[in-house]
Amino acid sequence: MATPFNRSALTLLAASLAASALFSSGAQAEGKISIAQQFGIGYLILDVVRDQNLIEKHGKEQGLDIKVDWNSISGATAMNEALLTGSLDVVSAGVPPMLTVWDRTKGKQNVKAIAALGSMPNYLLTNNPNIKTLKDFTDKDRIAVPAAGVGFQSRTLQIETAKEFGDAQYKKFDDISVSLPHPDATAALIAGGSEINSHFSSPPFQYQALQNPNVHKVLSSYDVLGGQATFNVLYTTEKFHDENPKTYKAFYDALAEAEKIIKADKPAAAQAYIRVEQSKLPLALVEQIVKDPEIDFTVVPQRTFIYAEKLQELGVLKNKASSWKDYFFEEAHGGAGS
């Protein structure tokens, strides 16, 4: 006579477990996304997404009213910490920092890249007239980078250093590298007189610095990578990707549309950058940068695998990627990436 009671109890238990699973799966999170970007025109695609409310637009196509939380953070280390602690859903940084967190979370949080944010050169600049090549740097020089030893600029410098001085010496310039946000480093380089006499810069800051006759270029990241190459990428955890398919799709579609908007009207994109970043740069300079033939605002990754291969050879990465698709989520696989 106890059977009906047991069936009822089992039914209630099943319903409870199903509800618990639904709640813990993160389904409640659909319709929310927190994004962080750093400083500079390397984030123009995100600026256009924000300016045109493209995530919200594509969310409505998915039947969602997406709430977007935008954040600004300097440095890849802080980005990665925020992502792994769950403070942010999507972060952005250079290819090497993304590969580092992909490597460390493989088999755990499984962080992967969402999309590229464009290909653009980063210049190693100096106001020291005696520095013409890497071999001219001394212990008295100081190179400003956003994240010393681990960021895009530092890893790019390490790869070139390994070419010039041998793999065992790839960290040769880490001791004279100083972590400093691009705006502060640019101001120091232009003003002169401080210990910061060099800066591995990025657009728009390198263009701004090169307007000063005392500043010159020592090296371009394109020299290191053999041509046009992705600068920044967006990345997230497998959990966010898998548990928020509609929000993720809306975000990816927004990025793809922003690329088209920029390529269709670069002057308008320059204006969007100034609005969103509240930049005081002259519009003409920003337009010049956006139109620079060296720069391609595309979500398709370019030459990222060079970092994956070389950093694994140097021992920075433990896991060996077989191709760039290993560390990008499948939505990005349709393009002719590398």
Side-chain angles (χ1 to χ4, degrees), residues 102-103 106 305 308-309 312-313 317-323 326-327:
W102 163 77
D103 183 58
K106 191 172 176 61
F305 194 57
E309 283 188 307
Q312 197 272 334
E313 288 175 15
L317 304 177
K318 293 180 180 179
N319 292 287
K320 186 173 183 177
S322 59
S323 82
D326 285 356
Y327 48 82

Side-chain angles (χ1 to χ4, degrees), residues 38 43 75-77 92-100 118-124 145-160 182 200-203 206 220-222 224-225 227-233 235 302-304 307 311:
Q38 299 187 57
Y43 299 91
T77 302
S92 52
V95 175
M98 177 275 295
L99 285 169
T100 298
S119 294
M120 58 185 59
N122 279 219
Y123 296 161
L124 174 57
V145 290
V150 297
F152 175 91
Q153 291 79 11
S154 279
R155 293 301 190 199
T156 304
L157 182 58
Q158 288 170 357
I159 290 174
E160 185 65 15
H182 284 310
F200 211 140
S201 190
S202 72
Q206 62 198 28
S220 167
S221 60
Y222 281 8
V224 180
L225 300 168
Q228 200 168 72
T230 296
F231 173 24
N232 292 314
V233 291
Y235 48 107
Q302 298 179 324
R303 287 185 169 86
T304 66
Y307 284 108
L311 293 178

Side-chain angles (χ1 to χ4, degrees), residues 13 25 44 87 93 116 128 156 162 165 178 198 215 262 303 326 333:
L13 178 61
S25 72
L44 179 61
S87 301
N128 183 343
T156 304
F165 301 94
V178 179
S198 303
V215 176
I262 293 169
R303 287 185 169 86
D326 285 356
H333 293 181

Side-chain angles (χ1 to χ4, degrees), residues 9 11 38 47 56 68 91-92 153-154 156 161 170-171 188 197 224 228 248 252 268 274 278 281 306-307 315 324:
T11 301
Q38 299 187 57
D47 291 333
E56 294 87 342
V68 185
V91 298
S92 52
Q153 291 79 11
S154 279
T156 304
T161 302
Y170 82 95
K171 288 187 176 182
N197 65 1
V224 180
Q228 200 168 72
Y248 189 95
Y252 190 86
I274 288 177
Q278 298 181 343
L281 290 176
I306 294 173
Y307 284 108
W324 66 274

